[in-house]
Amino acid sequence: MRIENRRHHTWRTKIAAGVITVATLLSGAAHAGPTLDKIKERGTIKVGVGTSPGFFAPDSNGKWQGFFVEFGRALAITVFNDPDKVEFTSSSPQQRLPALQSGEFDILLSGVTQTVTRAFKLGFHFGPTIFYDGQGLLVNKSLGVTKGSELDGATIGVQSGTTGELNIADFFRKTGHKFTPVTIEDSNEFLKALESGRVDALTQDASDLALRRTLLAKPDDYVLLPERLSKEPLAPAIAAGDDRWLEIVNWTVYATIQAEEFGITKENVDTFLNSEDPAISRFLGTDPSLGQAIGLDPKFAYNIVKTLGNYGEIFDRTIGKGSPVGFERGYNQPWTQGGLLYSPPFR
Amino acid sequence: MPGPKGPGSFNAFLGWWGRYPVTQFVVFIGLLAIFWIMGSNTIETMHRLGITPGFGFLHQSANFAIGESLIAYAPSDTFARAVLAGLLNTIAIALSGCVLATVLGVSLGIARLSGNFLLAGLVRWYVEVVRNTPLLLQLFFWSAVTHAFPAPRQAINPFGVIYLSNRGISIPSLQLHDIPASAIALSMAIVLTVVCLARLRAGKRTGAIGFLSISFFVLLGVSLVFHLSGAQANIDVPALHGFNITGGLNLTPEFAALLIGLVVNSSATIAEIVRSGIQSVPAGQWESARSLGLQPGKIMRLVILPQALRVIIPLMTSSYLDLTKNSSLAVAIGFPDLVSVLNTTANQSGQVLEALAIIVVSYLTLNLAVSAIMNRYNQRIESRGFSLR
Ligand SMILES: N[C@@H](CCC(=O)N[C@@H](CS)C(=O)NCC(=O)O)C(=O)O
């Protein structure tokens, strides 16, 4: 069964999310049981996503597509051996963290930046970074601006609840310049503020700005400045307190990264089944000892690669050179090729 | 009903306690237990998540910027100051919204009852359209309208001193510098004296001309005091500077959109309240007033409205409360009101419950204040001489 779902958080659901958060805090028990049991009982994984085509967006058939979405499918393969037993729901940056905390989502794959505040003060755990990003500035070309420090006195759109809201304030404090923020929650209104000229620039994760630039009526009138104001390691986020669920998330992501390092792809994965290399046998589950140890299907890594491909294939297909988006790999390459992707050993 | 039997305080207590002491006691203990369990669970959960409950975080630096504020605010200021800035923005919207919605709503209500067929029909349509579309949609509409003005560099610039652009309206503002305390004290004394004198004359009517001339002399006196004290006054004229129009007094598009949206929305309700209030006055009142030879305008002002107000005021109170609460939709169009600031605060500090508590207490206080003021006014209306009954 495929469950595809798209829902916008109106203010009503916002209030509901707030109430649920309170109720969860009050009940104290909601997160005592392991997430995996809940997921198995329900039969689907609930994933919170955003709405930037390339990262996450429903296609013309209403089926969610995108880079982050593929990792949700990978998780469904690990847990159910079925890429469709996952339910995607979009939620604004402001609302999704409380929604995750209240158990409305099992995981966020929405480009959440891992920070110390979110770990210690908001109570979240993060899986491995799946996209290394930095905050960027999208400006109207007619302003003739080439770097952030030239934006003294400008009005800048920020999306509420994002790390960008703090980073941009830090940036102007550091440079000693002034700016006026217009803080907007809704991602459509956010984009409209730039298009109508209400703001001189938008600031958000650079990848996100690049993706949303394509949604503008005249994308060529705007330019994404090359400068990066911050480090934004985008990672899967789950509520703190469930180690087992965290490990499942970790090793699902690592499986895609390790496969690329091994050179195992969707096409050639079967040829590796008879590999003499014990590391590869363990990885693909031909040697079942590892899978048994973690209590999952020993062939979960094989299933993921066979269905979705390795990290590089997922990247290329959704946001890389094989897609209309055409992002460079940048830091998002295996460490063996000068990138930052590094899987701990499967042993 | 058996009242207290004697004057003893025990009997008074029993009277207060009610008729089912045991049941009451059990319910009371039960409620305490529920609150205690919820409270300790909350604290335990927060500890497990590593959150320290309490309001200590308010003294920490907020680190986020706020687009517009009635007080000086910078990201290095505390969360407490950020919350205050948000609260003042909410109060500003609520106050100006209630005043303007009343003016517009009352005019519309009366227009609807005017004999003019076209006018009444137009108002009916206005009321129907406004009341049958979601407020959030209306706000998005006004937001789009306020953003549709030209960019700052092409701003509409009437008289060379007013700028109308997609950054809002900028008008010249009066700025005073180097004001000695003595000048402030003296001007306050002047104003106070005049107010007191006016009070003494209470009851006697001061005509419009009298009022204007008094105001003129007060203004003259105060200006003279300031001038002699050596205070610097200059007019800050807005001007295009870099990306934005700077200087002067600026009304942002978000504030304008929210204000227009709330005013239009409430005015439709208020128009209906005024209409039904006026119609609730028996037709006989019109007829008898007319037979006394009163003109229509005077009938409305002296006979009908005072009676209609008894129906109107309580309903008006609830409109004001609605407007105040609805102002929290500001988040959607980017106006930094109390809720918007506290959303960010909750998100960046992790103190979700505390932020929620501040929201609840603030709105409760605001609404109780509005109710209290309106109730006092209502009592004054009720206690006015004539009564139908
Ligand atoms: N990385 C930042 C920003 C997160 C964020 O806003 N992500 C984008 C996608 S990369 C998004 O969800 N946009 C809003 C939306 O789609 O509604 C954070 O964690 O605070």
Side-chain angles (χ1 to χ4, degrees):
Chain A
M1 186 180 63
R2 197 181 77 213
I3 301 168
E4 298 282 357
N5 184 4
R6 176 193 167 99
R7 176 154 46 105
H8 279 292
H9 280 256
T10 61
W11 62 278
R12 253 177 252 279
T13 43
K14 238 178 266 172
I15 290 171
V19 171
I20 294 169
T21 310
V22 174
T24 316
L25 286 170
L26 293 178
S27 75
H31 280 295
T35 314
L36 188 61
D37 290 348
K38 243 176 40 189
I39 291 172
K40 288 212 161 137
E41 201 183 330
R42 193 194 301 131
T44 57
I45 306 173
K46 288 186 165 184
V47 180
V49 292
T51 50
S52 305
F55 274 171
F56 14 61
D59 63 15
S60 50
N61 299 320
K63 189 171 157 109
W64 282 86
Q65 303 293 355
F67 178 72
F68 282 92
V69 167
E70 293 294 74
F71 286 90
R73 298 230 159 84
L75 264 175
I77 294 173
T78 307
V79 176
F80 295 112
N81 195 14
D82 180 347
D84 292 327
K85 289 199 165 163
V86 54
E87 185 182 332
F88 297 99
T89 309
S90 76
S91 169
S92 81
Q94 177 78 67
Q95 296 308 320
R96 56 189 165 224
L97 291 176
L100 175 63
Q101 197 59 272
S102 65
E104 199 182 317
F105 298 128
D106 300 315
I107 185 168
L108 292 182
L109 285 166
S110 57
V112 186
T113 304
Q114 178 170 14
T115 69
V116 71
T117 309
R118 286 172 174 172
F120 286 102
K121 296 185 86 182
L122 294 166
F124 296 107
H125 280 338
F126 289 89
T129 298
I130 50 181
F131 192 93
Y132 290 91
D133 206 347
Q135 191 171 329
L137 288 159
L138 183 64
V139 300
N140 197 315
K141 261 187 198 158
S142 67
L143 296 177
V145 169
T146 55
K147 45 183 198 292
S149 54
E150 291 166 8
L151 281 169
D152 190 12
T155 304
I156 300 182
V158 298
Q159 210 167 355
S160 62
T162 62
T163 45
E165 208 179 346
L166 302 183
N167 292 335
I168 193 72
D170 283 0
F171 177 76
F172 278 90
R173 254 162 99 178
K174 195 173 66 187
T175 54
H177 289 153
K178 281 208 165 59
F179 82 111
T180 308
V182 178
T183 310
I184 302 169
E185 174 172 359
D186 183 79
S187 47
N188 288 323
E189 291 292 307
F190 180 63
L191 211 56
K192 271 193 216 153
L194 181 69
E195 248 179 340
S196 67
R198 168 63 184 112
V199 299
D200 300 303
L202 292 181
T203 189
Q204 243 286 14
D205 297 346
S207 60
D208 191 48
L209 290 176
L211 294 174
R212 284 204 233 173
R213 182 170 159 266
T214 60
L215 298 176
L216 293 164
K218 293 184 192 153
D220 293 335
D221 288 359
Y222 303 89
V223 57
L224 181 61
L225 301 186
E227 185 178 1
R228 295 292 170 265
L229 313 184
S230 67
K231 295 190 284 186
E232 305 289 331
L234 309 183
I238 65 168
D242 192 339
D243 304 353
R244 193 164 152 61
W245 179 228
L246 178 64
E247 290 305 334
I248 291 172
V249 173
N250 283 344
W251 292 97
T252 299
V253 175
Y254 288 141
T256 65
I257 295 175
Q258 185 62 54
E260 183 172 20
E261 189 184 325
F262 278 143
I264 305 177
T265 65
K266 193 173 171 172
E267 296 300 311
N268 69 17
V269 61
D270 285 323
T271 66
F272 282 88
L273 285 175
N274 312 318
S275 169
E276 297 294 320
D277 185 343
I280 291 182
S281 304
R282 270 197 306 274
F283 179 70
L284 293 178
T286 349
D287 170 356
S289 56
L290 263 191
Q292 280 166 357
I294 46 180
L296 294 170
D297 185 343
K299 294 181 87 80
F300 80 94
Y302 168 84
N303 293 335
I304 290 173
V305 179
K306 180 81 185 165
T307 322
L308 304 171
N310 64 34
Y311 181 100
E313 290 174 281
I314 294 175
F315 190 104
D316 279 347
R317 185 169 69 235
T318 52
I319 48 176
K321 295 298 174 202
S323 78
V325 178
F327 281 167
E328 297 286 345
R329 290 290 292 270
Y331 291 124
N332 300 299
Q333 303 213 57
W335 64 290
T336 45
Q337 289 165 43
L340 291 173
L341 301 176
Y342 184 104
S343 163
F346 273 70
R347 84 157 27 258
Chain B
M1 202 177 68
K5 303 241 158 41
S9 57
F10 182 66
N11 275 336
F13 174 73
L14 275 191
W16 172 79
W17 188 249
R19 271 198 280 176
Y20 304 99
V22 178
T23 324
Q24 298 253 28
F25 188 70
V26 171
V27 169
F28 180 66
I29 295 292
L31 272 178
L32 269 190
I34 290 174
F35 278 125
W36 191 75
I37 292 171
M38 291 205 311
S40 54
N41 259 336
T42 306
I43 292 175
E44 191 198 315
T45 312
M46 289 175 89
H47 276 304
R48 188 153 46 75
L49 296 174
I51 305 170
T52 323
F55 291 90
F57 75 98
L58 284 174
H59 300 295
Q60 294 162 8
S61 169
N63 287 329
F64 59 86
I66 297 180
E68 55 188 296
S69 163
L70 295 172
I71 49 171
Y73 169 85
S76 52
D77 286 330
T78 60
F79 278 117
R81 199 168 173 86
V83 170
L84 181 64
L87 179 64
L88 289 176
N89 280 344
T90 290
I91 292 178
I93 270 288
L95 265 184
S96 43
C98 287
V99 170
L100 293 178
T102 309
V103 173
L104 186 60
V106 171
S107 320
L108 289 173
I110 293 179
R112 176 138 187 215
L113 290 176
S114 73
N116 189 323
F117 184 72
L118 186 67
L119 193 62
L122 278 178
V123 173
R124 222 192 76 195
W125 270 99
Y126 172 90
V127 169
E128 288 299 317
V129 169
V130 169
R131 300 225 307 178
N132 288 306
T133 43
L135 177 56
L136 191 61
L137 215 67
Q138 293 177 26
L139 288 180
F140 282 142
F141 170 76
W142 293 115
S143 167
V145 169
T146 53
H147 287 183
F149 285 95
R153 291 177 194 186
Q154 288 88 41
I156 304 170
N157 189 359
F159 315 116
V161 291
I162 298 174
Y163 285 85
L164 197 63
S165 72
N166 59 15
R167 305 296 157 88
I169 303 178
S170 290
I171 55 169
S173 66
L174 183 71
Q175 286 193 326
L176 299 172
H177 311 278
D178 311 323
I179 312 167
S182 54
I184 299 181
L186 203 58
S187 351
M188 267 159 74
I190 294 180
V191 173
L192 262 175
T193 322
V194 173
V195 169
C196 286
L197 281 177
R199 279 255 152 158
L200 281 181
R201 278 172 44 95
K204 287 168 222 153
R205 286 185 73 130
T206 315
I209 299 189
F211 183 76
L212 278 181
S213 52
I214 290 176
S215 312
F216 176 74
F217 281 115
V218 168
L219 213 64
L220 199 71
V222 172
S223 323
L224 206 67
V225 167
F226 272 82
H227 183 71
L228 294 179
S229 72
Q232 298 285 315
N234 66 307
I235 292 178
D236 190 16
V237 179
L240 182 68
H241 180 262
F243 297 98
N244 272 323
I245 290 152
T246 55
L249 202 70
N250 179 255
L251 185 70
T252 66
E254 289 76 28
F255 185 88
L258 185 63
L259 185 64
I260 298 173
L262 292 174
V263 165
V264 165
N265 193 270
S266 298
S267 70
T269 315
I270 291 178
E272 284 297 274
I273 293 173
V274 169
R275 181 183 62 90
S276 63
I278 292 177
Q279 284 178 338
S280 76
V281 179
Q285 296 285 314
W286 285 94
E287 283 152 19
S288 21
R290 220 168 293 144
S291 63
L292 284 177
L294 281 178
Q295 291 149 358
K298 281 203 167 159
I299 300 179
M300 186 56 116
R301 203 153 51 83
L302 298 175
V303 180
I304 305 301
L305 269 186
Q307 298 179 64
L309 276 181
R310 291 180 199 170
V311 176
I312 292 174
I313 296 300
L315 293 172
M316 208 80 136
T317 308
S318 87
S319 283
Y320 291 161
L321 299 183
D322 279 347
L323 189 147
T324 308
K325 284 181 286 178
N326 284 341
S327 72
S328 65
L329 288 174
V331 189
I333 55 169
F335 178 72
D337 77 326
L338 180 72
V339 172
S340 158
V341 169
L342 278 163
N343 268 349
T344 300
T345 300
N347 224 305
Q348 311 290 13
S349 70
Q351 316 286 144
V352 180
L353 269 186
E354 289 82 352
L356 224 77
I358 297 177
I359 295 182
V360 170
V361 170
S362 305
Y363 276 93
L364 203 65
T365 314
L366 270 181
N367 275 352
L368 285 178
V370 172
S371 296
I373 294 170
M374 292 301 288
N375 279 342
R376 267 199 67 176
Y377 185 58
N378 198 23
Q379 273 163 11
R380 268 184 51 189
I381 302 274
E382 294 265 335
S383 62
R384 260 195 212 169
F386 43 61
S387 162
L388 280 179
R389 278 141 280 166

